[in-house]
Amino acid sequence: MTTTLITGANKGLGRETARQLVAAGHTVYIGSRDAGRGRLAAEELGARTVVLDVTDDASVEAAARAIEADGGLDVLINNAGVEGRGAENEVVGAADVTADMMRRTFETNVFGTVRVTHAFLPLLRRSAAPVVVNLSSGLASLARVTDPGTPTHAYPGVAYPASKTAVNMITVQYAKAFPDIRINAVEPGYTKTDLNGNTGVQTVEQGAAIIVRMALLGPDGPTGGFFSAEGPLPW
Ligand code: NAP
């Protein structure tokens, strides 16, 4: 039996990833900061649920204790994320970004990823085939953001891409430190979810494909990489 936790899985890509992993036979925990929405999603998908706010130490530690008491964890998907748009849902560029906006975005996307990974590492290290999937973004790629004429180059936001570049670095450093765990960063592609005001061009089924593929890696799979559905991405 493979047990998987997906943070922020009450909707969007996390929820669809949960659906596909339940179908693949995993015992899936829907991490949700709201108990009611987590319970509803879990009931609909045949999954379990755990209350988990990635910005809150006590919440993350309680979730780790609960999953440990239930038997442990094999796969962690750090999916919870925010784009950190402005008051009118606009992408905030260099002229307007503030330290507070950066801090809020990093609190979820970066510190949340470390907080959750740190809390669940002892459980993962007891698994026979541990896997971590970190939700990154194509916007994390310094190679792409500096390549004129591409949609990635045209994206003006500062906080979100910077936070996902940090997620990539975290992925590489954890992968080197824990060679027995498959730890990879993934770019799901521009997907229609609440994160981007439903402006994405892919369905959640398409976006979740690479997340699911990396969650199903065996011990011989790659680690310390950055992948989209098309293959490895440039850092
Ligand atoms: P979404 O539909 O907005 O879902 C985001 C999820 O994260 C929600 O369940 C949300 O919970 C949760 N979340 C936010 N803050 C949290 C916190 N502090 N604690 C726990 N959960 C929290 O967005 P999505 O598009 O599915 O995004 C999922 C991941 O994919 C994100 O990491 C995002 O950066 C990444 N990604 C998305 C795209 C895209 O085009 N959509 C592209 C590249 C990467 P609430 O419902 O409680 O807010």
Side-chain angles (χ1 to χ4, degrees):
M1 186 179 89
T2 302
T3 303
T4 298
L5 167 65
I6 310 170
T7 64
N10 52 281
K11 66 179 182 180
L13 286 164
R15 188 184 192 287
E16 174 58 20
T17 301
R19 190 186 69 75
Q20 294 188 26
L21 288 176
V22 168
H26 283 209
T27 298
V28 175
Y29 283 90
I30 304 271
S32 172
R33 57 182 162 178
D34 180 273
R37 287 187 293 136
R39 202 163 42 240
L40 192 62
E43 277 169 16
E44 286 170 3
L45 298 176
R48 301 180 182 186
T49 186
V50 67
V51 176
L52 193 158
D53 181 336
V54 303
T55 66
D56 184 296
D57 283 335
S59 164
V60 171
E61 280 157 23
R65 281 196 299 273
I67 291 177
E68 184 172 31
D70 275 358
L73 190 71
D74 303 292
V75 180
L76 169 63
I77 304 180
N78 283 308
N79 170 78
V82 294
E83 190 184 358
R85 291 196 177 197
E88 280 155 32
N89 202 33
E90 77 285 11
V91 173
V92 179
D96 298 307
V97 72
T98 63
D100 270 347
M101 289 176 191
M102 293 291 288
R103 193 178 294 115
R104 278 200 300 278
T105 306
F106 271 58
E107 191 58 64
T108 302
N109 298 1
V110 181
F111 311 146
T113 294
V114 173
R115 182 177 288 109
V116 173
T117 307
H118 180 73
F120 283 91
L121 258 179
L123 283 68
L124 291 166
R125 296 185 77 186
R126 292 199 286 272
S127 165
V131 173
V132 176
V133 183
N134 289 331
L135 265 289
S136 180
S137 164
L139 294 168
S141 167
L142 291 169
R144 287 193 166 184
V145 169
T146 53
D147 184 10
T150 64
T152 308
H153 182 274
Y155 182 84
V158 178
Y160 183 74
S163 74
K164 295 297 188 179
T165 306
V167 167
N168 281 359
M169 180 62 80
I170 288 164
T171 302
V172 166
Q173 296 301 77
Y174 272 87
K176 287 191 294 183
F178 300 104
D180 294 338
I181 311 180
R182 308 296 89 195
I183 306 181
N184 292 289
V186 299
E187 137 72 331
Y190 190 32
T191 307
K192 192 172 156 74
T193 67
D194 288 349
L195 183 102
N196 47 41
N198 290 294
T199 57
V201 295
Q202 292 189 142
T203 63
V204 286
E205 287 82 358
Q206 292 169 315
I210 185 64
I211 311 173
V212 170
R213 196 188 309 162
M214 300 316 280
L216 294 175
L217 283 183
D220 295 334
T223 192
F226 178 30
F227 297 95
S228 74
E230 284 74 45
L233 290 175
W235 299 110

